Amino acid sequence: MSTVTTLTDLYPTRGATEVSVPRQDPVVWGSPDAPGPIATADLQTYERDGFLSVDQLISDDEAAVCRRELERLVADPEIRADERSIVEPRSKEIRSVFEVHKLSPVFASLVRDERVVGRARQILGSDVYVHQSRINVKPGFGAGGFYWHSDFETWHAEDGLPNMRTVSVSIALTENFATNGGLMIMPGSHRTFLGCAGATPEDNYKKSLQMQDAGTPSDEALTAMASDYGIKLFTGKAGSATWFDCNCMHGSGDNITPFPRSNVFVVFNSVENTAVEPFAAPIRRPEFIGARDFTPVR
């Protein structure tokens, strides 16, 4: 007689009430002294804060190549018509383009670069695959922000990632000022999982990629977390990068300045943490948002 193994849900969410659960997983899965691009002291900082900034991950010239590639993709009518492109509801400008490592040889090469994937392997202690990639485009004069959220809450609820063994990197392709809608993270928030209240609507991703609704923490919870952890705003020139844990509470504001803020964003997941069925959603999100191809990056 066959049996069905059910994974224990360590991080319940999208129920009747909001819940707070201590993190059950390591932050750094690899050995602290394992060889890799990240120095031991920086790895300890990442474990403590949930993030790590790199002043220059790629060179000015490399950032310029990536920026031209972003501009090419955004200007391409076929890309705009593709379901992988998300359009701003107000300006009708492209907000994000997903799966850029499959759409573009430039970004495919960046994902495979040891400066990038090597850091992911070092943090996660295993081979990794790309769970998600995208370019985020924040042109000046009104591009919308991303409200406070934990990525893992969504990836667990809607994509079926069982454990917190996932890391993101945001690489600046234009200068990130304090005023043009930069990334904000609550340091240390990665150690507490906030399970949000409210069921996941079917095809929730179609709305959430433009404006987050399901999976949004309450004002009371955000106030408490901000009081406990504070808020760190990231700035940096083109080519700088921020690595951050999947459970960091983070967001970004609108860009009402004349200065664009564009980044390439890559999510690496451990090959030992591959997606199962969603833990709190009626159906999986499309594969261009939550990959089901678990081939290691080489």
Side-chain angles (χ1 to χ4, degrees), residues 208-283:
S208 68
L209 295 178
Q210 292 181 328
M211 185 172 292
Q212 188 86 359
D213 188 8
T216 301
S218 68
D219 291 352
E220 293 77 13
L222 288 171
T223 299
M225 293 183 84
S227 299
D228 288 343
Y229 301 121
I231 296 172
K232 164 74 173 176
L233 171 66
F234 294 88
T235 59
K237 67 176 187 176
S240 64
T242 303
W243 292 85
F244 59 103
D245 180 82
C246 58
N247 192 46
C248 283
M249 190 61 66
H250 67 288
S252 64
D254 294 351
N255 182 14
I256 61 171
T257 76
F259 309 113
R261 174 186 172 263
S262 298
N263 295 53
V264 57
F265 180 79
V266 185
V267 180
F268 294 101
N269 188 38
S270 168
V271 295
E272 298 172 13
N273 187 46
T274 53
V276 294
E277 290 305 305
F279 285 86
I283 58 171

Side-chain angles (χ1 to χ4, degrees), residues 48-77:
R48 181 194 68 205
D49 295 337
F51 58 80
L52 179 65
S53 294
V54 179
D55 290 338
Q56 188 168 38
L57 182 66
I58 60 176
S59 70
D60 291 344
D61 289 345
E62 290 169 318
V65 169
C66 290
R67 189 164 54 249
R68 287 194 294 271
E69 181 69 352
L70 177 150
E71 292 165 354
R72 182 190 71 80
L73 291 171
V74 170
D76 187 334

Side-chain angles (χ1 to χ4, degrees), residues 38-50:
I38 307 175
T40 301
D42 289 338
L43 208 55
Q44 292 169 343
T45 298
Y46 176 88
E47 185 168 29
R48 181 194 68 205
D49 295 337

Side-chain angles (χ1 to χ4, degrees), residues 27-43:
V27 178
V28 175
W29 290 74
S31 170
D33 55 359
I38 307 175
T40 301
D42 289 338
L43 208 55

Side-chain angles (χ1 to χ4, degrees), residues 26-279:
V27 178
V28 175
W29 290 74
S31 170
D33 55 359
I38 307 175
T40 301
D42 289 338
L43 208 55
Q44 292 169 343
T45 298
Y46 176 88
E47 185 168 29
R48 181 194 68 205
D49 295 337
F51 58 80
L52 179 65
S53 294
V54 179
D55 290 338
Q56 188 168 38
L57 182 66
I58 60 176
S59 70
D60 291 344
D61 289 345
E62 290 169 318
V65 169
C66 290
R67 189 164 54 249
R68 287 194 294 271
E69 181 69 352
L70 177 150
E71 292 165 354
R72 182 190 71 80
L73 291 171
V74 170
D76 187 334
E78 290 188 10
I79 297 295
R80 183 183 180 86
D82 194 294
E83 65 174 345
R84 290 172 284 190
S85 293
I86 310 302
V87 176
E88 284 277 1
R90 288 175 295 180
S91 68
K92 305 304 179 185
E93 296 292 331
I94 288 181
R95 175 188 180 94
S96 302
V97 179
F98 282 81
E99 237 177 20
V100 289
H101 70 295
K102 293 187 176 180
L103 289 171
S104 160
V106 171
F107 291 119
S109 177
L110 182 64
V111 163
R112 294 192 302 268
D113 192 303
E114 191 61 24
R115 292 170 294 178
V116 178
V117 70
R119 283 176 165 85
R121 293 191 191 107
Q122 195 175 357
I123 290 168
L124 301 180
S126 70
D127 278 333
V128 298
Y129 70 94
V130 176
H131 177 70
Q132 185 186 105
S133 74
R134 66 178 187 260
I135 47 173
N136 288 332
V137 185
K138 269 195 177 181
F141 300 118
F146 293 86
Y147 196 69
W148 290 106
H149 64 286
S150 152
D151 286 330
F152 180 75
E153 192 279 337
T154 297
W155 298 337
H156 182 69
E158 300 185 40
D159 297 341
L161 295 192
N163 296 96
M164 294 180 183
R165 199 170 179 179
T166 314
V167 63
S168 301
V169 60
S170 177
I171 305 171
L173 302 184
T174 57
E175 186 160 359
N176 284 211
F177 300 104
T179 51
N180 65 343
L183 173 68
M184 296 180 287
I185 296 179
M186 297 185 188
S189 59
H190 61 304
R191 296 195 174 275
T192 301
F193 175 74
L194 189 65
C196 298
T200 308
E202 192 165 339
D203 285 345
N204 177 57
Y205 77 93
K206 293 180 179 178
K207 181 180 179 183
S208 68
L209 295 178
Q210 292 181 328
M211 185 172 292
Q212 188 86 359
D213 188 8
T216 301
S218 68
D219 291 352
E220 293 77 13
L222 288 171
T223 299
M225 293 183 84
S227 299
D228 288 343
Y229 301 121
I231 296 172
K232 164 74 173 176
L233 171 66
F234 294 88
T235 59
K237 67 176 187 176
S240 64
T242 303
W243 292 85
F244 59 103
D245 180 82
C246 58
N247 192 46
C248 283
M249 190 61 66
H250 67 288
S252 64
D254 294 351
N255 182 14
I256 61 171
T257 76
F259 309 113
R261 174 186 172 263
S262 298
N263 295 53
V264 57
F265 180 79
V266 185
V267 180
F268 294 101
N269 188 38
S270 168
V271 295
E272 298 172 13
N273 187 46
T274 53
V276 294
E277 290 305 305
F279 285 86

